[in-house]
Amino acid sequence: MVEWTDFERATIADIFSKMEYEVIGPAALSRCLVVYPWTQRYFGNFGNLYNAAAIIGNPLVAKHGTTILHGLDRAVKNMDNIKSEYAELSVLHSEKLHVDPDNFKLLSDCLTIVVSAKLGKEFNGEVQAAFQKFLAVVVNSLGRQYH
Amino acid sequence: MLSKREKDLIAEVWTKLIPVAEDIGSDALTRMFATFPGTKTYFSHLDISPRSAHLLSHGEKIVLAIAEGAQDIDQLAVSLAPLQTLHAYQLRIDPTNFKLFSHCMLVALAAHMGDDFTPVVHAAIDKYLSAFAAVLAEKYR
């Protein structure tokens, strides 16, 4: 069981309540595909990923980025049960999508950076620590059902 | 692998950070201590409370070294030689920590640069910091 402090719960709730999912999601996913180009291996059918501009402007990437972020919502609303919340998604990523779980961390690092760019000074060390702890739990849960 | 354009971009970005070296450096360190508490074990001899004199001075030192390396990336092994020796024989910081610090530096840069920290800039700097860390660890064994 993950122990969350009041500060951590409040911080996560606050960040996600103010988040523009259709902006942050696409920004995080496209950033991941640009900064870690090998992650493009999972998106062969997404069309033009030829360069940074193409990736950032790609509507399928944008749509999927939004989908992923809405998926994170489930953890935000159920912080005391993230592992069971994501059990099915974990199986999906392992057995159907065959995604190397190391990629979850890459995406979560990009999301952290996108949120940092958005919030600036407000996203200080303590807030970052809470946000990264949350994402670490999510990442761990998504990798849980791999075998 | 860094293209010429990326090297120019990296030099440009880090030159602009020199005047705010202690802010960026101390911010990156503070983020690292908060997010990865194990890293604090290397600093038991310093006062690392946010914006302490030690932290500002140490952060400045690090950013200036990174900025200096950025001016001639092809010569990193030469310009970092003294720091290589320091890290290998005296500091002996486990190199996994270089990754943690680099990540927090990227987060600090994002907070500082906002929209200017584009994916292309992020990628270039991430690659540079990885190269920097690799050179820094070269004398370890």
Side-chain angles (χ1 to χ4, degrees):
Chain A
M1 251 289 281
V2 183
E3 303 272 344
W4 302 103
T5 64
D6 291 340
F7 172 79
E8 286 164 345
R9 287 183 194 274
T11 299
I12 298 305
D14 186 53
I15 292 178
F16 280 88
S17 72
K18 298 199 272 219
M19 198 181 281
E20 294 170 87
Y21 287 62
E22 328 70 40
V23 170
I24 301 295
L29 181 59
S30 59
R31 185 170 289 253
C32 191
L33 295 171
V34 169
V35 176
Y36 308 111
W38 55 91
T39 57
Q40 293 168 26
R41 73 190 301 287
Y42 301 107
F43 298 94
N45 57 347
F46 268 40
N48 186 2
L49 298 179
Y50 191 60
N51 53 33
I55 292 169
I56 294 165
N58 185 311
L60 289 176
V61 171
K63 182 159 172 281
H64 196 63
T66 308
T67 302
I68 292 175
L69 215 57
H70 280 297
L72 264 185
D73 236 6
R74 296 168 55 177
V76 177
K77 297 191 161 60
N78 206 349
M79 281 175 72
D80 292 311
N81 237 327
I82 296 178
K83 193 167 76 179
S84 52
E85 188 63 48
Y86 283 140
E88 254 180 62
L89 269 178
S90 178
V91 172
L92 175 80
H93 282 76
S94 162
E95 310 211 335
K96 194 154 171 267
L97 305 176
H98 306 294
V99 176
D100 179 342
D102 287 345
N103 292 286
F104 303 147
K105 183 170 180 305
L106 297 181
L107 181 59
S108 94
D109 283 349
C110 285
L111 179 59
T112 303
I113 282 164
V114 166
V115 170
S116 175
K118 192 92 213 292
L119 300 181
K121 281 208 156 77
E122 190 192 317
F123 193 70
N124 62 34
E126 299 299 322
V127 172
Q128 178 185 341
F131 191 69
Q132 295 215 211
K133 177 177 165 180
F134 171 74
L135 289 181
V137 174
V138 168
V139 162
N140 187 270
S141 306
L142 277 174
R144 208 66 173 66
Q145 306 303 325
Y146 279 61
H147 63 96
Chain B
M1 222 182 47
L2 285 166
S3 67
K4 168 129 196 347
R5 261 192 71 214
E6 284 177 313
K7 289 182 197 176
D8 291 340
L9 185 57
I10 292 162
E12 191 191 315
V13 169
W14 283 95
T15 301
K16 287 204 210 132
L17 293 171
I18 291 172
V20 289
E22 56 170 37
D23 291 324
I24 298 291
S26 60
D27 186 28
L29 285 167
T30 302
R31 290 177 183 283
M32 185 181 72
F33 296 142
T35 314
F36 308 109
T39 56
K40 291 191 288 189
T41 57
Y42 291 100
F43 292 88
S44 50
H45 61 296
L46 292 181
D47 168 16
I48 52 172
S49 49
R51 298 201 68 82
S52 71
H54 284 167
L55 200 66
L56 288 170
S57 138
H58 200 73
E60 184 184 38
K61 231 187 287 191
I62 296 177
V63 169
L64 291 180
I66 297 176
E68 198 196 311
Q71 303 313 311
D72 194 352
I73 294 175
D74 294 329
Q75 294 298 307
L76 269 184
V78 173
S79 52
L80 288 182
L83 281 174
Q84 283 178 321
T85 305
L86 180 73
H87 283 76
Y89 299 117
Q90 272 190 271
L91 303 178
R92 288 173 296 186
I93 297 172
D94 189 309
T96 338
N97 295 288
F98 298 157
K99 275 205 175 134
L100 304 182
F101 180 72
S102 297
H103 169 72
C104 290
M105 175 58 78
L106 294 172
V107 177
L109 290 177
H112 181 75
M113 295 169 65
D115 285 338
D116 287 342
F117 194 64
T118 64
V120 171
V121 170
H122 172 174
I125 296 185
D126 190 20
K127 291 198 281 185
Y128 170 57
L129 292 178
S130 306
F132 194 96
V135 171
L136 212 54
E138 254 171 25
K139 290 186 177 148
Y140 271 55
R141 57 175 176 174

